[in-house]
Amino acid sequence: MTSASNSLTDNRSEAVVTAGLSQGDVSDFFALLKPRVMFLVVFTALVGMVVVHPTIHPVVAFASLLMIAIGAGASGCLNMWWDADIDAVMTRTRARPIPAGKIAPGEALAFGLTLSAGSVIVLGLVSNVLAAGLLAFTIVFYAVIYSMWLKRSTPQNIVIGGAAGALPPVVAQAAVTGHVGWESLILFAIIFIWTPPHFWALALVKSGDYERAGIPMMPNVAGPDSTRRQILAYTVLLAPLGLAPVAFGFGGLAYAIIATIGGLGMLALAFQVYRLRQGEPAMRVAQQLFAFSILYLFLLFATLLAEHGLGFFRPVFG
Amino acid sequence: MASASSGRFSGDPMVQQSPLPRLTPEEQKRRRRRSVALGLALGALVLLFYVVTIAKLGPGVLNRPL
């Protein structure tokens, strides 16, 4: 009875979609934009803007930031369109709008392409061609190079693909200054090196999910022990790199303290992940590293924002 | 033309025989919410273009040959 009524409902939903009528609600379309990732993009891009103290009109800066956010959302939407098959078999992603049957794949593709083109064109008109080109590159890098190619073909997928997530400060600086400076390149490097320990900590916990979906994440290909070594190696690089803004003069005293404590926290957790390899404690510490890595990056960028946006900057040297 | 667009889901006996399904009240609500969101997005875009134009050009926006 239940399966018969489900079948009728499915047939009807199919007929509605075939007739060109969307089944999705506004919230489903919003979910396609990966709002949490969008927030991170807006946040890092905003920091990329404020550290260079731009002289452009705040309205133009706001409009640029909005277009960067929409571009990031569009690439997330295209990623969901392409990955709908593997999202359907992973517990973490099976409730997304396309595998849940709320939005048809064609709708998501059209939505993603429209927003991609729109955000790039408007950013070009509002700021400059360099920023628009960088935003277009970021979208293509995430949707095509990462999602369509790297994600299903190499365990280095999130290492190389991490460049897409690290680019927003670079796009933002280009939007407000017309060029790419070393400040945004340092922020790019921090996010880029932060990405592997962040994602591999999650992959250690969710390796069963990735195995089922056939995604060659590092723990599934090289094994958990090798992944733990690489997490530690990247974190050893990340902790001093987090202090680079101080060395280059745009990270102040508060930033130096936060980056030092946070870097030591990341190192301690990464070492625990390396040391504990069996059972529940190993999973727990990997989850802790995943959660702390988010807090670490958030605190680094929030401190830079407070120092430059709210005037809390106190130089470490001189 | 008018009957096709207005009667698609409105109970027209000719249209009722069509394979197109009748929208449920929930689907109609969702469609309305999508339409409202699209309208708001377009309105926000118009406002954004207007404000950015004024911000970029300033008083120069009025400085043009008549």
Side-chain angles (χ1 to χ4, degrees):
Chain A
M1 177 66 187
T2 310
S3 67
S5 63
N6 282 349
S7 170
L8 281 175
T9 311
D10 289 348
N11 288 342
R12 197 189 162 282
S13 300
E14 208 169 290
V16 170
V17 171
T18 307
L21 302 167
S22 178
Q23 285 279 62
D25 207 337
V26 175
S27 58
D28 299 321
F29 282 94
F30 187 62
L32 279 179
L33 303 179
K34 296 192 175 180
R36 278 181 293 184
V37 176
M38 264 173 86
F39 171 76
L40 188 67
V41 166
V42 168
F43 186 53
T44 56
L46 178 64
V47 174
M49 284 182 178
V50 299
V51 294
V52 293
H53 298 276
T55 53
I56 65 162
H57 198 289
V59 168
V60 177
F62 169 78
S64 302
L65 198 60
L66 185 64
M67 290 309 125
I68 294 169
I70 292 172
S75 63
C77 177
L78 293 172
N79 166 272
M80 282 204 205
W81 163 73
W82 182 258
D83 279 345
D85 57 335
I86 52 179
D87 281 350
V89 296
M90 290 175 64
T91 52
R92 189 171 67 87
T93 53
R94 66 170 56 138
R96 285 178 173 175
I98 303 174
K102 293 171 180 170
I103 288 181
E107 284 180 273
L109 175 63
F111 188 51
L113 289 176
T114 305
L115 291 183
S116 296
S119 60
V120 170
I121 291 168
V122 175
L123 183 62
L125 293 171
V126 166
S127 61
N128 55 70
V129 175
L130 175 64
L134 283 168
L135 182 63
F137 176 76
T138 306
I139 295 170
V140 169
F141 198 92
Y142 187 67
V144 178
I145 297 178
Y146 169 70
S147 302
M148 295 183 187
W149 177 32
L150 297 171
K151 186 171 178 178
R152 302 183 194 218
S153 62
T154 167
Q156 296 295 333
N157 47 16
I158 55 101
V159 179
I160 308 166
L167 274 167
V170 183
V171 183
Q173 188 180 8
V176 295
T177 64
H179 69 273
V180 173
W182 44 266
E183 296 94 342
S184 64
L185 292 177
I186 289 170
L187 298 179
F188 170 91
I190 290 172
I191 303 173
F192 186 73
I193 299 297
W194 166 88
T195 306
H198 168 73
F199 269 108
W200 285 339
L202 177 71
L204 281 173
V205 179
K206 299 279 183 185
S207 62
D209 251 9
Y210 288 115
E211 185 79 52
R212 263 195 307 283
I215 304 173
M217 291 300 280
M218 193 58 80
N220 305 91
V221 177
D225 289 352
S226 170
T227 306
R228 289 184 165 92
R229 272 197 303 276
Q230 294 186 64
I231 285 176
L232 185 59
Y234 273 100
T235 309
V236 166
L237 274 177
L238 177 65
L241 185 62
L243 285 162
V246 180
F248 280 81
F250 68 98
L253 189 58
Y255 179 86
I257 294 167
I258 295 285
T260 303
I261 296 171
L264 289 173
M266 283 291 292
L267 276 172
L269 280 170
F271 185 72
Q272 284 289 85
V273 168
Y274 174 74
R275 200 174 61 86
L276 296 170
R277 302 185 176 198
Q278 297 293 329
E280 183 58 28
M283 289 298 106
R284 200 180 317 121
V285 78
Q287 276 175 331
Q288 285 170 353
L289 176 62
F290 175 72
F292 186 78
S293 65
I294 297 171
L295 179 68
Y296 169 71
L297 194 71
F298 174 78
L299 285 177
L300 291 191
F301 279 74
T303 311
L304 284 177
L305 189 60
E307 286 187 334
H308 292 273
L310 303 175
F312 292 141
F313 185 85
R314 299 287 176 275
V316 177
F317 307 110
Chain B
M1 182 65 188
S3 66
S5 59
S6 64
R8 198 176 182 191
F9 302 105
S10 63
D12 183 326
M14 293 298 288
V15 177
Q16 276 181 346
Q17 293 169 8
S18 150
L20 289 173
R22 184 187 291 271
L23 290 182
T24 64
E26 174 54 31
E27 284 168 343
Q28 285 179 341
K29 275 184 198 164
R30 281 206 294 261
R31 185 167 66 167
R32 182 168 174 76
R33 284 197 290 265
R34 286 198 304 272
S35 302
V36 169
L38 191 58
L40 288 173
L42 289 173
L45 205 55
V46 169
L47 185 67
L48 183 76
F49 285 166
Y50 175 76
V51 174
V52 167
T53 303
I54 299 297
K56 282 178 85 87
L57 298 180
V61 75
L62 298 173
N63 186 16
R64 62 188 178 88
L66 293 172

